[in-house]
Amino acid sequence: MNIYKMRGLELFDSHNRRIAITRGEDIYDGTNRRIGTIRGNYLFDPDNRKMLTVRGANIYDASNKRVASLLDIQKTIEGALAGMHSAALWYCFIR
């Protein structure tokens, strides 16, 4: 059973509380504070530092260490699409 669920571009926890949302390229937490920006296959923090890269089916952190695969995300988040938005939400809120 998955603890997290995606509906559209919103991420919910097991209590059905929205914990994150993406609007355009930006990611916001449950209190509507911007915590990241997606540009292509990269995720940047609010200070424009690279946090995450998606290459092929793998996810790498800022130090270029493989931290997961897109398949891992689909197993963790119900309704997650195999794309950058799902990877960014997983990296910021679940891992």
Side-chain angles (χ1 to χ4, degrees):
M1 180 173 93
N2 298 351
I3 297 173
Y4 298 93
K5 295 179 183 161
M6 281 193 74
R7 289 189 213 117
L9 296 177
E10 297 178 310
L11 179 64
F12 294 85
D13 67 11
S14 62
H15 300 289
N16 210 27
R17 293 179 296 223
R18 187 180 81 184
I19 58 173
I21 186 170
T22 59
R23 292 186 195 112
E25 294 181 332
D26 294 324
I27 297 175
Y28 296 86
D29 66 12
T31 62
N32 287 319
R33 182 175 54 103
R34 186 175 68 85
I35 60 151
T37 300
I38 299 169
R39 288 190 214 113
N41 289 336
Y42 302 97
L43 172 66
F44 296 90
D45 70 11
D47 295 320
N48 208 33
R49 293 180 297 235
K50 186 170 72 168
M51 298 169 53
L52 164 79
T53 304
V54 174
R55 286 195 309 267
N58 293 308
I59 301 165
Y60 299 86
D61 65 11
S63 64
N64 209 29
K65 178 182 173 196
R66 184 185 176 280
V67 293
S69 72
L70 295 175
L71 183 57
D72 295 331
I73 292 169
Q74 290 177 319
K75 291 177 182 177
T76 307
I77 306 172
E78 181 182 314
L81 302 174
M84 188 59 197
H85 283 90
S86 298
L89 290 169
W90 173 86
Y91 188 80
C92 291
F93 294 96
I94 298 172
R95 70 177 177 110

XYZ file of all heavy atoms in Angstrom:
766
model
N 0.844 -1.193 0.000
C 0.000 0.000 0.000
C 0.885 1.251 0.000
O 1.856 1.335 0.740
C -0.893 0.000 1.232
C -1.791 1.208 1.294
S -2.978 1.125 2.637
C -2.095 1.971 3.903
N 0.538 2.223 -0.833
C 1.281 3.479 -0.898
C 0.786 4.426 0.181
O -0.409 4.524 0.434
C 1.104 4.128 -2.262
C 1.643 3.275 -3.380
O 2.292 2.275 -3.133
N 1.381 3.666 -4.590
N 1.713 5.106 0.795
C 1.362 6.081 1.828
C 1.002 7.425 1.194
O 0.159 8.138 1.689
C 2.530 6.253 2.815
C 2.780 4.938 3.533
C 2.270 7.375 3.793
C 4.014 4.939 4.401
N 1.626 7.744 0.072
C 1.421 9.037 -0.581
C 0.614 8.849 -1.858
O 0.691 7.814 -2.506
C 2.774 9.673 -0.911
C 3.576 9.938 0.328
C 4.492 9.012 0.797
C 3.399 11.108 1.050
C 5.220 9.244 1.946
C 4.119 11.346 2.199
C 5.032 10.413 2.643
O 5.750 10.638 3.784
N -0.137 9.897 -2.215
C -0.963 9.862 -3.423
C -0.802 11.169 -4.168
O -0.691 12.230 -3.556
C -2.439 9.693 -3.066
C -2.752 8.379 -2.413
C -4.207 8.275 -2.050
C -4.412 6.954 -1.319
N -5.598 6.889 -0.564
N -0.834 11.060 -5.492
C -0.849 12.262 -6.320
C -2.202 12.371 -6.994
O -2.751 11.378 -7.464
C 0.249 12.213 -7.376
C 1.597 12.575 -6.828
S 2.813 12.874 -8.115
C 2.286 14.467 -8.728
N -2.710 13.569 -6.987
C -3.908 13.905 -7.751
C -3.546 15.120 -8.575
O -3.340 16.202 -8.017
C -5.078 14.212 -6.827
C -5.603 12.985 -6.137
C -6.902 13.273 -5.393
N -6.922 12.419 -4.217
C -6.917 12.840 -2.970
N -6.916 14.118 -2.702
N -6.915 11.986 -1.974
N -3.433 14.911 -9.869
C -2.944 15.994 -10.722
C -1.511 16.309 -10.335
O -0.667 15.433 -10.303
N -1.250 17.538 -9.975
C 0.092 17.945 -9.561
C 0.154 18.225 -8.062
O 1.035 18.936 -7.586
C 0.539 19.175 -10.353
C 0.680 18.920 -11.860
C 1.053 20.206 -12.584
C 1.682 17.826 -12.155
N -0.772 17.642 -7.298
C -0.798 17.797 -5.847
C -0.380 16.481 -5.192
O -0.741 15.409 -5.647
C -2.190 18.181 -5.365
C -2.654 19.522 -5.901
C -4.064 19.842 -5.438
O -4.943 18.970 -5.595
O -4.261 20.946 -4.925
N 0.351 16.574 -4.075
C 0.803 15.412 -3.329
C 0.110 15.399 -1.975
O 0.098 16.416 -1.275
C 2.326 15.469 -3.135
C 2.970 14.332 -2.354
C 2.808 13.009 -3.096
C 4.440 14.637 -2.101
N -0.458 14.240 -1.618
C -1.199 14.085 -0.366
C -0.564 12.995 0.481
O -0.034 12.017 -0.044
C -2.660 13.712 -0.650
C -3.424 14.797 -1.343
C -3.380 14.912 -2.723
C -4.175 15.702 -0.619
C -4.078 15.916 -3.371
C -4.881 16.706 -1.257
C -4.825 16.816 -2.638
N -0.651 13.140 1.815
C -0.139 12.113 2.725
C -1.229 11.083 3.021
O -2.320 11.133 2.449
C 0.426 12.729 4.008
C -0.617 13.394 4.886
O -1.843 13.245 4.654
O -0.210 14.071 5.842
N -0.945 10.154 3.934
C -1.885 9.076 4.233
C -3.160 9.550 4.915
O -4.151 8.837 4.941
C -1.208 8.017 5.102
O -0.813 8.586 6.335
N -3.139 10.774 5.454
C -4.329 11.349 6.091
C -5.104 12.256 5.142
O -5.961 13.016 5.565
C -3.937 12.131 7.341
C -3.248 11.276 8.362
N -3.901 10.309 9.091
C -1.954 11.239 8.750
C -3.038 9.721 9.891
N -1.849 10.254 9.704
N -4.742 12.163 3.852
C -5.391 12.939 2.804
C -5.166 14.442 2.947
O -5.972 15.242 2.497
C -6.887 12.609 2.721
C -7.408 12.788 1.314
O -6.658 12.670 0.344
N -8.681 13.065 1.195
N -4.069 14.828 3.596
C -3.693 16.249 3.698
C -2.761 16.585 2.546
O -1.817 15.842 2.273
C -2.976 16.529 5.016
C -3.860 16.386 6.226
C -3.056 16.667 7.465
N -2.022 15.637 7.580
C -1.690 15.028 8.707
N -2.262 15.362 9.833
N -0.753 14.108 8.719
N -3.014 17.710 1.910
C -2.119 18.143 0.834
C -0.814 18.611 1.451
O -0.797 19.497 2.297
C -2.742 19.270 0.020
C -1.881 19.606 -1.205
C -2.453 20.697 -2.005
N -2.080 21.944 -1.327
C -2.464 23.135 -1.696
N -3.276 23.280 -2.702
N -2.086 24.201 -1.047
N 0.281 18.011 1.018
C 1.576 18.409 1.557
C 2.418 19.154 0.529
O 3.412 19.777 0.888
C 2.362 17.209 2.122
C 2.587 16.148 1.064
C 1.647 16.631 3.325
C 3.494 15.010 1.515
N 2.014 19.110 -0.742
C 2.762 19.826 -1.774
C 1.930 19.996 -3.025
O 0.981 19.252 -3.266
C 4.034 19.064 -2.110
N 2.338 20.990 -3.808
C 1.688 21.248 -5.089
C 2.712 21.866 -6.026
O 3.628 22.562 -5.587
C 0.464 22.181 -4.927
C -0.289 22.323 -6.248
C 0.861 23.525 -4.352
C -1.631 23.011 -6.130
N 2.575 21.569 -7.313
C 3.393 22.247 -8.303
C 2.499 23.197 -9.086
O 1.366 22.875 -9.424
C 4.087 21.258 -9.259
O 3.104 20.488 -9.916
C 5.045 20.351 -8.525
N 3.021 24.368 -9.303
C 2.335 25.382 -10.117
C 3.335 25.858 -11.147
O 4.326 26.506 -10.786
C 1.874 26.554 -9.266
C 0.780 26.219 -8.302
C 0.281 27.489 -7.592
N -0.502 27.117 -6.456
C -0.156 27.326 -5.185
N 0.965 27.937 -4.897
N -0.935 26.938 -4.202
N 3.090 25.512 -12.386
C 4.070 25.830 -13.428
C 5.364 25.097 -13.123
O 5.366 23.892 -12.920
N 6.444 25.821 -13.038
C 7.740 25.214 -12.733
C 8.039 25.164 -11.238
O 9.007 24.544 -10.830
C 8.857 26.010 -13.419
C 8.813 25.952 -14.926
C 9.950 26.729 -15.548
O 10.440 27.701 -14.934
O 10.357 26.366 -16.656
N 7.248 25.823 -10.419
C 7.544 25.942 -8.993
C 6.849 24.879 -8.157
O 5.733 24.461 -8.466
C 7.155 27.329 -8.477
C 8.009 28.429 -9.078
O 9.211 28.192 -9.287
O 7.472 29.516 -9.336
N 7.509 24.476 -7.064
C 6.962 23.522 -6.106
C 6.751 24.254 -4.789
O 7.641 24.971 -4.315
C 7.920 22.344 -5.879
C 8.098 21.579 -7.183
C 7.407 21.419 -4.786
C 9.114 20.476 -7.079
N 5.584 24.048 -4.200
C 5.220 24.683 -2.934
C 4.894 23.616 -1.904
O 4.355 22.559 -2.245
C 3.998 25.580 -3.120
C 4.251 26.739 -4.046
C 4.094 26.592 -5.411
C 4.664 27.962 -3.551
C 4.342 27.645 -6.278
C 4.916 29.032 -4.408
C 4.757 28.862 -5.765
O 5.007 29.904 -6.621
N 5.189 23.905 -0.636
C 4.821 22.972 0.429
C 3.376 23.223 0.851
O 2.675 24.035 0.237
C 5.798 23.056 1.607
C 5.761 24.390 2.339
O 4.843 25.214 2.118
O 6.668 24.596 3.166
N 2.924 22.540 1.899
C 1.544 22.647 2.353
C 1.148 24.012 2.866
O -0.034 24.327 2.972
N 2.137 24.855 3.178
C 1.842 26.216 3.646
C 2.059 27.248 2.541
O 2.173 28.434 2.814
C 2.719 26.574 4.861
O 4.095 26.543 4.475
C 2.463 25.621 6.018
N 2.140 26.776 1.294
C 2.322 27.617 0.108
C 3.646 28.368 0.078
O 3.752 29.437 -0.502
C 1.146 28.584 -0.077
C -0.075 27.854 -0.538
O 0.007 26.962 -1.378
N -1.226 28.204 0.006
N 4.671 27.792 0.701
C 6.025 28.356 0.650
C 6.753 27.683 -0.506
O 6.788 26.460 -0.601
C 6.755 28.097 1.967
C 8.135 28.677 2.042
C 8.730 28.473 3.429
N 8.694 27.084 3.839
C 9.741 26.264 3.824
N 10.912 26.690 3.449
N 9.617 25.014 4.216
N 7.334 28.485 -1.396
C 8.052 27.918 -2.546
C 9.330 27.255 -2.057
O 10.131 27.862 -1.355
C 8.391 28.996 -3.572
C 9.001 28.425 -4.849
C 9.213 29.491 -5.909
N 10.232 30.437 -5.556
C 11.540 30.258 -5.767
N 11.967 29.161 -6.346
N 12.402 31.184 -5.416
N 9.497 25.986 -2.431
C 10.674 25.251 -1.971
C 11.565 24.803 -3.119
O 12.661 24.304 -2.884
C 10.279 24.034 -1.119
C 9.414 23.097 -1.929
C 9.593 24.449 0.140
C 9.567 21.691 -1.505
N 11.116 24.978 -4.352
C 11.941 24.566 -5.472
C 11.371 24.991 -6.804
O 10.215 25.410 -6.897
N 12.219 24.878 -7.826
C 11.829 25.208 -9.192
C 12.356 24.122 -10.120
O 13.510 23.717 -10.005
C 12.408 26.573 -9.616
O 11.918 27.575 -8.728
C 12.022 26.931 -11.034
N 11.507 23.674 -11.016
C 11.867 22.663 -12.001
C 12.220 23.368 -13.305
O 11.462 24.207 -13.794
C 10.694 21.694 -12.245
C 10.333 20.962 -10.965
C 11.019 20.732 -13.370
C 9.034 20.195 -11.048
N 13.396 23.032 -13.830
C 13.794 23.518 -15.158
C 14.325 22.333 -15.944
O 15.421 21.840 -15.667
C 14.874 24.599 -15.041
C 14.342 25.895 -14.516
C 15.379 27.005 -14.647
N 15.192 27.894 -13.503
C 16.053 28.068 -12.513
N 17.210 27.439 -12.525
N 15.792 28.867 -11.523
N 13.520 21.867 -16.878
C 13.907 20.688 -17.652
C 14.002 19.473 -16.750
O 13.053 19.150 -16.041
N 15.140 18.812 -16.734
C 15.354 17.628 -15.901
C 16.076 17.959 -14.593
O 16.678 17.083 -13.985
C 16.149 16.573 -16.666
C 15.334 15.947 -17.769
O 14.108 15.941 -17.714
N 15.994 15.438 -18.775
N 16.027 19.213 -14.188
C 16.722 19.650 -12.978
C 15.743 20.261 -11.984
O 14.769 20.904 -12.364
C 17.789 20.704 -13.316
C 18.809 20.213 -14.290
C 18.689 20.502 -15.641
C 19.889 19.444 -13.873
C 19.621 20.050 -16.548
C 20.829 18.983 -14.779
C 20.687 19.287 -16.117
O 21.605 18.829 -17.014
N 16.049 20.089 -10.693
C 15.308 20.731 -9.623
C 16.275 21.635 -8.879
O 17.369 21.201 -8.495
C 14.735 19.685 -8.661
C 14.086 20.224 -7.391
C 12.817 21.017 -7.729
C 13.770 19.086 -6.430
N 15.891 22.885 -8.679
C 16.699 23.861 -7.967
C 15.990 24.299 -6.696
O 14.755 24.377 -6.666
C 16.945 25.099 -8.851
C 17.749 24.790 -10.076
C 17.131 24.414 -11.246
C 19.131 24.863 -10.047
C 17.866 24.116 -12.383
C 19.880 24.574 -11.174
C 19.244 24.197 -12.353
N 16.761 24.615 -5.648
C 16.163 25.133 -4.417
C 15.847 26.615 -4.597
O 16.164 27.197 -5.641
C 17.066 24.854 -3.211
C 18.345 25.666 -3.185
O 18.508 26.621 -3.976
O 19.199 25.352 -2.335
N 15.221 27.254 -3.603
C 14.859 28.679 -3.745
C 16.056 29.609 -3.958
O 15.895 30.718 -4.452
C 14.143 28.999 -2.434
C 13.578 27.694 -1.994
C 14.618 26.676 -2.410
N 17.271 29.149 -3.620
C 18.474 29.949 -3.834
C 19.185 29.592 -5.132
O 20.348 29.926 -5.332
C 19.438 29.777 -2.652
C 18.855 30.332 -1.369
O 18.207 31.405 -1.419
O 19.026 29.684 -0.319
N 18.478 28.867 -6.014
C 18.956 28.501 -7.344
C 20.130 27.526 -7.328
O 20.939 27.499 -8.238
C 19.295 29.751 -8.166
C 19.136 29.496 -9.641
O 18.278 28.724 -10.053
N 19.959 30.134 -10.439
N 20.234 26.708 -6.276
C 21.240 25.638 -6.220
C 20.606 24.338 -6.710
O 19.485 24.017 -6.310
C 21.761 25.451 -4.796
C 22.562 26.628 -4.292
C 23.020 26.353 -2.884
N 21.858 26.228 -2.015
C 21.650 26.933 -0.917
N 22.526 27.810 -0.510
N 20.564 26.747 -0.196
N 21.337 23.602 -7.532
C 20.815 22.348 -8.068
C 20.647 21.331 -6.944
O 21.552 21.098 -6.159
C 21.736 21.800 -9.144
C 21.168 20.565 -9.830
C 21.945 20.163 -11.055
C 23.272 19.586 -10.673
N 23.955 18.915 -11.787
N 19.462 20.714 -6.874
C 19.159 19.700 -5.871
C 19.058 18.310 -6.476
O 19.359 17.326 -5.813
C 17.818 20.016 -5.193
C 17.770 21.313 -4.435
S 16.090 21.770 -3.920
C 15.514 20.334 -3.060
N 18.602 18.215 -7.716
C 18.214 16.936 -8.301
C 18.340 16.994 -9.808
O 18.076 18.027 -10.421
C 16.754 16.659 -7.918
C 15.973 15.615 -8.666
C 16.351 14.240 -8.159
C 14.487 15.825 -8.480
N 18.733 15.855 -10.385
C 18.770 15.686 -11.837
C 18.127 14.352 -12.175
O 18.370 13.360 -11.496
C 20.225 15.668 -12.358
O 20.884 16.858 -11.953
C 20.263 15.556 -13.871
N 17.304 14.333 -13.211
C 16.751 13.084 -13.724
C 17.429 12.821 -15.066
O 17.387 13.656 -15.968
C 15.218 13.156 -13.892
C 14.697 11.905 -14.570
C 14.542 13.355 -12.552
N 18.094 11.653 -15.148
C 18.729 11.221 -16.396
C 18.238 9.818 -16.700
O 18.458 8.897 -15.915
C 20.247 11.230 -16.270
C 20.842 12.611 -16.273
C 22.352 12.597 -16.510
N 23.090 11.706 -15.644
C 23.646 12.061 -14.484
N 23.518 13.295 -14.033
N 24.323 11.184 -13.773
N 17.548 9.699 -17.822
C 16.967 8.407 -18.180
C 15.951 8.007 -17.131
O 15.061 8.777 -16.789
N 16.104 6.819 -16.558
C 15.167 6.332 -15.540
C 15.706 6.502 -14.130
O 15.116 6.002 -13.179
C 14.861 4.860 -15.794
N 16.828 7.248 -13.985
C 17.459 7.389 -12.676
C 17.440 8.816 -12.169
O 17.405 9.769 -12.945
C 18.907 6.882 -12.732
C 18.962 5.405 -12.970
O 18.325 4.627 -12.271
N 19.709 4.988 -13.983
N 17.499 8.940 -10.831
C 17.469 10.232 -10.153
C 18.774 10.405 -9.395
O 19.202 9.504 -8.660
C 16.283 10.292 -9.183
C 14.977 10.082 -9.957
C 16.263 11.603 -8.422
C 13.807 9.761 -9.074
N 19.402 11.559 -9.574
C 20.689 11.865 -8.956
C 20.572 13.115 -8.099
O 19.871 14.061 -8.470
C 21.754 12.094 -10.030
C 21.965 10.888 -10.906
C 21.173 10.675 -12.027
C 22.930 9.942 -10.601
C 21.344 9.557 -12.825
C 23.110 8.817 -11.395
C 22.312 8.635 -12.509
O 22.479 7.520 -13.296
N 21.274 13.138 -6.961
C 21.258 14.323 -6.108
C 22.278 15.340 -6.610
O 22.904 15.149 -7.663
C 21.478 13.948 -4.641
C 22.848 13.371 -4.358
O 23.749 13.429 -5.232
O 23.037 12.855 -3.241
N 22.480 16.413 -5.855
C 23.361 17.505 -6.277
C 24.809 17.060 -6.445
O 25.548 17.637 -7.246
C 23.278 18.649 -5.279
N 25.215 16.033 -5.722
C 26.593 15.543 -5.832
C 26.726 14.442 -6.889
O 27.742 13.758 -6.952
C 27.087 15.039 -4.478
O 26.318 13.930 -4.064
N 25.695 14.279 -7.703
C 25.668 13.312 -8.799
C 25.641 11.858 -8.320
O 26.064 10.951 -9.025
C 26.830 13.541 -9.768
C 26.475 13.105 -11.166
O 25.313 13.136 -11.557
N 27.470 12.693 -11.919
N 25.133 11.639 -7.119
C 24.973 10.289 -6.583
C 23.563 9.801 -6.919
O 22.580 10.508 -6.687
C 25.165 10.299 -5.071
C 24.969 8.951 -4.434
C 25.119 9.020 -2.931
C 24.735 7.680 -2.337
N 24.505 7.778 -0.916
N 23.453 8.585 -7.446
C 22.137 8.017 -7.760
C 21.392 7.766 -6.459
O 21.892 7.102 -5.557
C 22.286 6.713 -8.532
C 20.960 6.136 -8.973
C 21.157 4.769 -9.638
N 19.902 4.173 -9.964
C 19.098 3.525 -9.105
N 19.443 3.396 -7.844
N 17.957 3.016 -9.503
N 20.177 8.315 -6.347
C 19.393 8.160 -5.118
C 18.141 7.320 -5.319
O 17.590 6.808 -4.344
C 19.018 9.525 -4.498
C 20.254 10.236 -3.990
C 18.253 10.400 -5.473
N 17.687 7.154 -6.552
C 16.477 6.360 -6.810
C 16.257 6.254 -8.311
O 16.997 6.827 -9.104
C 15.266 7.005 -6.155
N 15.194 5.534 -8.646
C 14.773 5.453 -10.049
C 13.336 5.963 -10.140
O 12.627 6.049 -9.132
C 14.853 4.016 -10.557
O 13.826 3.240 -9.980
N 12.915 6.257 -11.337
C 11.527 6.688 -11.527
C 10.557 5.576 -11.147
O 9.467 5.838 -10.661
C 11.307 7.151 -12.965
C 12.088 8.406 -13.375
C 11.895 8.697 -14.855
C 11.693 9.603 -12.527
N 10.964 4.320 -11.322
C 10.131 3.190 -10.915
C 9.945 3.168 -9.391
O 8.853 2.880 -8.903
C 10.744 1.878 -11.395
C 9.945 0.614 -11.117
C 8.548 0.705 -11.735
C 10.669 -0.606 -11.651
N 10.994 3.513 -8.637
C 10.877 3.599 -7.171
C 9.802 4.601 -6.770
O 9.046 4.376 -5.825
C 12.204 4.020 -6.532
C 13.308 3.000 -6.727
O 12.997 1.793 -6.843
O 14.480 3.422 -6.758
N 9.740 5.693 -7.493
C 8.748 6.731 -7.182
C 7.340 6.217 -7.444
O 6.437 6.419 -6.637
C 9.029 7.997 -8.001
C 10.341 8.611 -7.514
C 7.884 8.995 -7.885
C 10.857 9.683 -8.399
N 7.157 5.521 -8.552
C 5.833 4.984 -8.854
C 5.395 3.957 -7.822
O 4.207 3.797 -7.579
C 5.814 4.390 -10.255
C 5.912 5.453 -11.327
C 5.961 4.863 -12.717
O 6.619 3.856 -12.957
N 5.258 5.505 -13.632
N 6.342 3.275 -7.198
C 6.014 2.319 -6.141
C 5.684 3.024 -4.828
O 4.969 2.480 -3.993
C 7.181 1.360 -5.915
C 7.409 0.407 -7.055
C 8.618 -0.463 -6.783
C 8.902 -1.401 -7.925
N 10.119 -2.202 -7.682
N 6.213 4.214 -4.627
C 6.043 4.953 -3.376
C 4.824 5.865 -3.390
O 4.166 6.030 -2.374
C 7.295 5.814 -3.097
O 8.451 4.992 -3.153
C 7.214 6.468 -1.740
N 4.523 6.441 -4.548
C 3.439 7.419 -4.659
C 2.367 6.882 -5.596
O 2.602 6.713 -6.793
C 3.942 8.774 -5.200
C 5.096 9.313 -4.369
C 2.801 9.778 -5.250
C 5.746 10.552 -4.971
N 1.204 6.631 -5.059
C 0.073 6.191 -5.885
C -0.316 7.310 -6.842
O -0.458 8.458 -6.441
C -1.104 5.846 -4.990
C -2.325 5.352 -5.731
C -3.476 5.064 -4.790
O -3.233 4.416 -3.753
O -4.597 5.493 -5.083
N -0.464 6.973 -8.098
C -0.874 7.962 -9.095
C 0.256 8.810 -9.643
O 0.017 9.726 -10.417
N 1.497 8.509 -9.242
C 2.636 9.289 -9.738
C 2.884 8.983 -11.205
O 2.845 7.835 -11.630
C 3.887 8.977 -8.925
N 3.132 10.015 -11.967
C 3.493 9.856 -13.365
C 5.014 9.747 -13.452
O 5.723 10.291 -12.613
C 3.006 11.056 -14.173
C 1.504 11.317 -14.103
C 1.162 12.608 -14.826
C 0.736 10.148 -14.694
N 5.502 9.062 -14.450
C 6.952 8.883 -14.606
C 7.543 10.133 -15.234
O 7.910 10.161 -16.393
C 7.242 7.659 -15.458
N 7.625 11.194 -14.461
C 8.156 12.440 -14.974
C 8.831 13.271 -13.910
O 8.935 12.878 -12.750
N 9.273 14.425 -14.334
C 10.059 15.299 -13.463
C 9.267 15.807 -12.269
O 9.798 15.915 -11.170
C 10.608 16.473 -14.296
C 11.569 17.339 -13.570
S 12.999 16.405 -13.009
C 13.643 17.530 -11.802
N 7.983 16.149 -12.430
C 7.200 16.665 -11.303
C 7.110 15.633 -10.179
O 7.299 15.961 -9.013
C 5.798 17.091 -11.753
C 5.790 18.394 -12.460
N 5.953 18.482 -13.815
C 5.679 19.658 -12.008
C 5.929 19.756 -14.171
N 5.771 20.493 -13.100
N 6.846 14.387 -10.528
C 6.777 13.332 -9.518
C 8.122 13.143 -8.833
O 8.202 12.995 -7.616
C 6.335 12.010 -10.146
O 5.048 12.129 -10.693
N 9.205 13.160 -9.615
C 10.548 13.002 -9.042
C 10.873 14.136 -8.087
O 11.402 13.918 -6.994
C 11.586 12.931 -10.161
N 10.529 15.359 -8.463
C 10.813 16.514 -7.613
C 10.015 16.454 -6.317
O 10.557 16.720 -5.232
C 10.506 17.801 -8.373
N 8.746 16.103 -6.389
C 7.930 15.992 -5.176
C 8.451 14.885 -4.271
O 8.540 15.055 -3.053
C 6.463 15.753 -5.542
C 5.749 16.941 -6.166
C 4.399 16.513 -6.728
C 5.579 18.065 -5.160
N 8.818 13.754 -4.846
C 9.364 12.649 -4.062
C 10.646 13.090 -3.356
O 10.822 12.851 -2.171
C 9.640 11.456 -4.976
C 10.350 10.335 -4.281
C 9.765 9.330 -3.556
C 11.743 10.106 -4.237
N 10.739 8.501 -3.066
C 11.964 8.960 -3.466
C 12.857 10.782 -4.771
C 13.228 8.449 -3.221
C 14.114 10.279 -4.528
C 14.295 9.124 -3.766
N 11.517 13.735 -4.096
C 12.815 14.143 -3.535
C 12.643 15.134 -2.390
O 13.311 15.024 -1.354
C 13.682 14.755 -4.633
C 15.100 15.017 -4.198
C 16.030 13.993 -4.170
C 15.501 16.280 -3.814
C 17.321 14.202 -3.771
C 16.801 16.514 -3.410
C 17.711 15.474 -3.390
O 19.004 15.711 -2.985
N 11.739 16.076 -2.548
C 11.555 17.122 -1.526
C 10.778 16.651 -0.306
O 11.024 17.142 0.792
C 10.835 18.315 -2.136
S 11.827 19.232 -3.325
N 9.849 15.722 -0.449
C 8.925 15.431 0.643
C 8.949 13.995 1.155
O 8.449 13.743 2.247
C 7.499 15.773 0.211
C 7.308 17.229 -0.021
C 7.399 17.755 -1.292
C 7.064 18.077 1.043
C 7.243 19.110 -1.506
C 6.911 19.443 0.840
C 7.002 19.956 -0.434
N 9.504 13.044 0.423
C 9.358 11.657 0.826
C 10.676 10.969 1.160
O 10.785 10.298 2.167
C 8.605 10.858 -0.249
C 7.205 11.436 -0.401
C 8.549 9.381 0.100
C 6.421 10.869 -1.537
N 11.647 11.163 0.355
C 12.873 10.376 0.501
C 13.393 10.465 1.890
O 13.901 9.683 2.531
C 13.941 10.807 -0.483
C 14.490 12.173 -0.134
C 15.589 12.542 -1.089
N 16.003 13.870 -0.735
C 17.170 14.168 -0.179
N 18.048 13.245 0.027
N 17.480 15.401 0.120
